[in-house]
Amino acid sequence: MKKNILFFVFASFTSILLGQLHEVGISLGGSNYVGDIGVNYYTYPNKPAGAVFYKYNWNPRIALRATYSFLPISGNDLDADTAFRKNRGSQFSNTVNELAVGFEFNFYEYDLSSDDKTWTPYLLFELVGFNYTNVKSYTTAGQMVKGNKTSYAIPFGIGYKSKLYGTLAFAIEAKFRYTFEDDLDFTNNKTPNVNIEGTGNDWYMFTGFSLIYTFGRPACYTNGL
């Protein structure tokens, strides 16, 4: 009886594992930010960055995904295109650690086991939480006292993915994050002895290339969410 139960559990687990397509992958590319210091180009990666992710293909149009990203960011006023920033001469560097969960919506049906559904552009819809170094306070001499802060962002992204060979695929992706913070660059309207041009919140972005490994067999997909 015990052996029968173990066999049933193993068979059920195997059916779940292979019942849909699963994907794991790594992304390599560049990150950048837009805020109070440096250039204000939204696609201007200037720091090496990377991510790892897992996807579950709910159906040929929708893939659920979870991603961890390591995103260094920096800015230098000497690279800016405004005289105000060039004359100010501020600079900074920080690191964003991000966890995102959400889904991809494929423009076309995507199924690596088929002959004619092996590529598609897609949109990304996610919930994002991130951690970064912030300024907790200032000493009487005006020196920063740093700490760590966790916050969230409004994310969106676009991409293109295609079969590479066998169970391998690749993707090109750009992700944009509008944060509810104005101190990723350690600078805001409360920073002593620093002039800024505005009071808008900071953005950070990632642009990169992904290599994806697919496993599991494409059995009957669900009909959707």
Side-chain angles (χ1 to χ4, degrees):
M1 182 67 177
K2 183 177 180 181
K3 291 183 178 179
N4 290 337
I5 293 175
L6 290 175
F7 174 80
F8 177 77
V9 170
F10 176 78
S12 298
F13 176 79
T14 304
S15 176
I16 292 173
L17 180 64
L18 299 179
Q20 298 287 346
L21 287 178
H22 304 262
E23 299 177 11
V24 291
I26 184 170
S27 299
L28 298 175
S31 54
N32 65 290
Y33 114 111
V34 169
D36 296 313
I37 296 176
V39 299
N40 276 328
Y41 303 136
Y42 287 88
T43 52
Y44 189 77
N46 59 2
K47 284 287 186 179
V52 292
F53 57 85
Y54 165 78
K55 299 183 189 180
Y56 174 85
N57 288 292
W58 184 269
N59 61 41
R61 284 293 186 93
I62 295 175
L64 308 180
R65 63 182 279 171
T67 308
Y68 164 74
S69 302
F70 177 77
L71 307 169
I73 56 174
S74 67
N76 191 326
D77 279 343
L78 298 181
D79 299 324
D81 53 2
T82 65
F84 173 83
R85 294 193 179 189
K86 285 182 178 293
N87 292 332
R88 182 180 57 184
S90 297
Q91 59 182 313
F92 85 99
S93 61
N94 205 340
T95 300
V96 173
N97 289 280
E98 179 194 87
L99 182 63
V101 293
F103 67 93
E104 295 175 7
F105 176 77
N106 301 325
F107 282 83
Y108 309 119
E109 291 191 358
Y110 182 73
D111 182 357
L112 288 188
S113 66
S114 71
D115 295 326
D116 58 351
K117 300 177 182 178
T118 57
W119 64 272
T120 181
Y122 59 90
L123 296 176
L124 265 175
F125 302 92
E126 297 173 294
L127 298 174
V128 168
F130 66 96
N131 182 269
Y132 67 104
T133 301
N134 74 324
V135 179
K136 297 178 69 70
S137 62
Y138 292 91
T139 66
T140 54
Q143 300 295 316
M144 292 185 293
V145 178
K146 295 181 179 180
N148 283 286
K149 186 175 183 179
T150 298
S151 187
Y152 59 96
I154 298 176
F156 55 93
I158 56 174
Y160 171 86
K161 58 187 176 182
S162 178
K163 184 175 182 177
L164 189 61
Y165 178 79
T167 57
L168 292 178
F170 75 91
I172 302 170
E173 194 171 87
K175 298 186 288 188
F176 306 85
R177 275 57 169 124
Y178 172 77
T179 76
F180 293 90
E181 309 295 337
D182 189 25
D183 60 352
L184 271 67
D185 47 20
F186 311 126
T187 304
N188 56 33
N189 59 356
K190 298 179 181 179
T191 304
N193 304 318
V194 174
N195 294 322
I196 61 174
E197 294 175 299
T199 57
N201 292 335
D202 297 333
W203 294 68
Y204 64 91
M205 282 68 68
F206 173 78
T207 307
F209 174 89
S210 300
L211 184 64
I212 307 162
Y213 171 69
T214 303
F215 60 98
R217 57 184 173 84
C220 297
Y221 280 110
T222 59
N223 291 324
L225 292 172

